[in-house]
Amino acid sequence: MDLERISAELRPRRSWEAIDLGTSLFRRHMGRLLLFWSVSVLPLIALLTALLWSHLQILAILVWWLKPLFDRVPLLYLSRALFGSELTLREFFKALPRLWTRRLLDALVMGRLSLRRSFVMPIKELEGLKGSEYRSRRGDLDRVSSGETQWLLALCLLLEHFFTLSLILLVSSALPLAAPPEPTEYFRFLYELVFTGKMDLPVWVMIGGFVAWVASMTITEHLYVAGGFGLYLNARTHLEGWDVELSFRRIASRVAKIRSGTVAGGLLGLVLLVSFAAPGPAFAQEVEFETPKESISRILADDDFEIHVNRQQVPVSSGPSWEGDLGFLAFLGGLGPILFWALVAGLVAWAISLIVKNSQYFVPQPGTSSKIRRDPKATTILGMKIGVDSLPSDIVGAAKAAWEEGKAKEALSLLYRGAISWFVDVAETPIEESDTESDCVRRVRSAGDHEREIRYLEELTGQWIGVAYGRSAPEEHAMRGLLDKWPYAGKGGTQAP
């Protein structure tokens, strides 16, 4: 390890500054880091997905459990790039088998649930310490960074879920056929995935959610590893004085350059002086030199080297000794953070389960209270009238006649207005006049009842958007299916044929 080739400014920092140093390293080398991640971690996740897609719960838990192995990839590259020797793809693939196979038991069992994994991973992987040497080294470095490593883990965990939900909302808002999910639905799906393994969602929705999670994990794991690596560098700087050593090396380098230029001139001047100086009686006199011991004694006798001693008497208590209990107290001190984070994890799990069990209080339910119902009801949607008096008594017959006359938009408009009218008048869904097609689908889906009618509305909405905005009429079989499967009956629709 050559400190002179280091690409970052080493100086004692506060812990959060050290984390910022790590994130700066990630930003500087982000392209190469993502490249190495893409050729190693992502293919492995894709292989596991192909093998375990029918067991989605096992797949998600396994990908999460393998994070310590995935984190070794950015740590390897950052440790090389920091000292000016960036890793090539050939060197990386050569080191990858040993990178993922060494110390598997410690990575996936003994240290998997460590709250300081990003901080202690460089001690294990870069210094290669084990046993008592590792524990001693970890204790020395912990004096500088203690609680910040746990806060870094908590922040990265929150960022991972935040990025996942943000990506899902972004993609669903861009798709006209998908309504953006509510935040409570995200936590409900997460709860069902972890504790039951069953998710009543279309396949493409589950694939999109899994891809969003892997993408967000890619960013947050790099931030987590880089932040822990910054804390590790800062701890070694405090402990070993890397900044002081670098300063002395730079001074020595400058002095060496000055000496190399002046030694030759000094020798030449000395030769000329000896050559042209006339010999005198002074050269014949004997010169008396001090011995090293005499010189040291004379220098230490100076006032600048006077030693001042300050003695202070500390009273000793005559009470009972607690030396025998210190080991037990130290054990309790180490157990405290574990109990604290276990309590935090339990509270988070309890909060998620509470939200899932009481989700009806967060989503308006039709017919539960007169305050929840919108009064007056919506009479127009997207500029189209949906009142019962504005629709024909036989909506399916009128739509079929319009379709046979080649008026596809008018036929789908009748079906769409009739469906929305049924949800407003019969199902009492709180649809507002300012809602879009996606908003209408989201509101009826939030109600939770009438599953058959909701599926029909989703299919109808896709065909309606295509003809209304894309100017593309539905296929004959698709339109016949909509006419034959009309499920609504009551004030807002006719009996199904």
Side-chain angles (χ1 to χ4, degrees):
M1 181 177 62
D2 189 0
L3 289 180
E4 295 183 353
R5 299 180 60 187
I6 199 164
S7 59
E9 180 187 356
L10 288 183
R11 58 177 177 82
R13 290 174 165 86
R14 292 192 294 268
S15 296
W16 288 109
E17 288 183 292
I19 294 175
D20 185 64
L21 170 65
T23 56
S24 299
L25 289 175
F26 167 61
R27 291 197 303 268
R28 179 185 301 178
H29 303 284
M30 182 169 56
R32 299 285 293 179
L33 285 170
L34 295 180
L35 172 63
F36 285 109
W37 183 276
S38 301
V39 298
S40 59
V41 176
L42 294 185
L44 179 59
I45 294 178
L47 177 61
L48 293 175
T49 304
L51 295 176
L52 299 173
W53 181 251
S54 58
H55 303 84
L56 194 59
Q57 182 185 28
I58 299 177
L59 172 63
I61 294 176
L62 182 60
V63 171
W64 174 81
W65 199 266
L66 292 177
K67 278 186 178 182
L69 299 185
F70 300 158
D71 292 344
R72 292 178 179 181
V73 173
L75 178 63
L76 174 65
Y77 184 83
L78 287 175
S79 63
R80 297 286 187 87
L82 180 66
F83 294 97
S85 58
E86 294 189 2
L87 207 63
T88 63
L89 280 174
R90 183 176 181 180
E91 294 172 341
F92 173 72
F93 283 120
K94 186 177 180 180
L96 186 60
R98 175 169 170 75
L99 185 69
W100 276 354
T101 55
R102 68 169 181 256
R103 303 178 71 173
L104 278 177
L105 181 64
D106 179 74
L108 300 180
V109 179
M110 305 294 294
R112 177 58 187 90
L113 300 180
S114 173
L115 301 178
R116 299 177 295 174
R117 178 163 51 88
S118 65
F119 178 70
V120 301
M121 190 165 55
I123 305 176
K124 298 178 181 179
E125 300 301 324
L126 303 182
E127 300 185 27
L129 299 181
K130 301 179 182 178
S132 60
E133 294 181 352
Y134 160 72
R135 290 190 293 271
S136 176
R137 180 66 165 170
R138 183 188 63 187
D140 293 336
L141 297 180
D142 272 344
R143 299 173 187 173
V144 180
S145 301
S146 55
E148 288 77 8
T149 56
Q150 299 162 358
W151 280 111
L152 176 63
L153 173 63
L155 288 175
C156 289
L157 183 62
L158 291 175
L159 282 177
E160 182 175 315
H161 289 285
F162 174 76
F163 288 157
T164 303
L165 181 58
S166 300
L167 286 174
I168 293 174
L169 291 175
L170 177 63
V171 174
S172 60
S173 62
L175 296 177
L177 301 182
E182 295 287 345
T184 54
E185 294 182 359
Y186 172 78
F187 290 108
R188 179 169 63 85
F189 295 151
L190 183 63
Y191 176 85
E192 293 178 352
L193 174 63
V194 174
F195 293 101
T196 66
K198 299 178 181 179
M199 298 179 68
D200 188 15
L201 291 173
V203 176
W204 67 271
V205 175
M206 292 191 291
I207 293 176
F210 185 76
V211 170
W213 175 54
V214 172
S216 63
M217 182 182 67
T218 299
I219 301 300
T220 53
E221 285 304 303
H222 281 89
L223 291 174
Y224 179 57
V225 174
F229 187 55
L231 289 172
Y232 167 78
L233 292 176
N234 187 55
R236 291 198 62 175
T237 301
H238 277 276
L239 186 65
E240 303 174 10
W242 278 2
D243 55 330
V244 178
E245 183 179 350
L246 275 176
S247 299
F248 278 122
R249 288 191 180 188
R250 294 189 185 104
I251 293 174
S253 178
R254 290 197 297 267
V255 171
K257 291 180 182 179
I258 295 173
R259 284 181 177 177
S260 62
T262 57
V263 167
L267 290 176
L268 179 61
L270 181 61
V271 170
L272 293 176
L273 180 62
V274 173
S275 301
F276 293 100
F283 287 89
Q285 298 177 359
E286 294 183 359
V287 180
E288 296 182 358
F289 294 98
E290 291 182 331
T291 62
K293 187 175 182 180
E294 292 174 346
S295 299
I296 293 173
S297 300
R298 180 175 55 82
I299 293 173
L300 292 178
D302 193 271
D303 294 338
D304 293 336
F305 290 92
E306 182 179 356
I307 299 176
H308 300 275
V309 179
N310 184 16
R311 293 183 174 87
Q312 184 177 1
Q313 186 175 2
V314 179
V316 180
S317 175
S318 59
S321 175
W322 295 93
E323 293 181 358
D325 296 332
L326 288 180
F328 178 72
L329 293 177
F331 170 75
L332 289 181
L335 190 62
I338 299 177
L339 294 177
F340 170 76
W341 286 107
L343 178 62
V344 170
L347 289 176
V348 171
W350 174 78
I352 293 176
S353 62
L354 188 64
I355 291 174
V356 172
K357 291 179 181 178
N358 300 277
S359 59
Q360 66 273 11
Y361 297 109
F362 301 94
V363 179
Q365 300 293 330
T368 56
S369 174
S370 59
K371 295 182 179 179
I372 296 179
R373 290 184 54 186
R374 269 59 173 179
D375 192 21
K377 299 176 181 178
T379 57
T380 59
I381 291 292
L382 302 169
M384 300 181 295
K385 295 182 179 180
I386 60 171
V388 178
D389 54 350
S390 64
L391 293 169
S393 57
D394 186 3
I395 296 177
V396 176
K400 185 180 297 185
W403 172 257
E404 293 175 352
E405 294 177 4
K407 301 177 181 179
K409 185 174 182 180
E410 181 178 345
L412 285 172
S413 173
L414 285 170
L415 295 179
Y416 187 75
R417 289 162 56 200
I420 297 297
S421 176
W422 185 88
F423 276 105
V424 171
D425 292 326
V426 178
E428 297 183 341
T429 305
I431 296 177
E432 299 181 357
E433 295 186 354
S434 59
D435 287 343
T436 63
E437 290 89 346
S438 296
D439 294 331
C440 294
V441 173
R442 177 175 57 82
R443 290 187 185 277
V444 300
R445 186 187 296 167
S446 299
D449 300 327
H450 313 291
E451 186 62 30
R452 177 168 170 258
E453 289 80 1
I454 292 175
R455 287 199 302 267
Y456 181 88
L457 179 64
E458 291 176 345
E459 181 181 355
L460 175 61
T461 300
Q463 299 294 344
W464 163 248
I465 289 176
V467 72
Y469 304 107
R471 306 296 182 184
S472 58
E475 299 291 337
E476 177 71 23
H477 66 88
M479 189 64 188
R480 290 296 177 186
L482 291 175
L483 293 172
D484 295 339
K485 293 187 298 184
W486 179 258
Y488 306 107
K491 294 185 293 182
T494 64
Q495 296 289 340

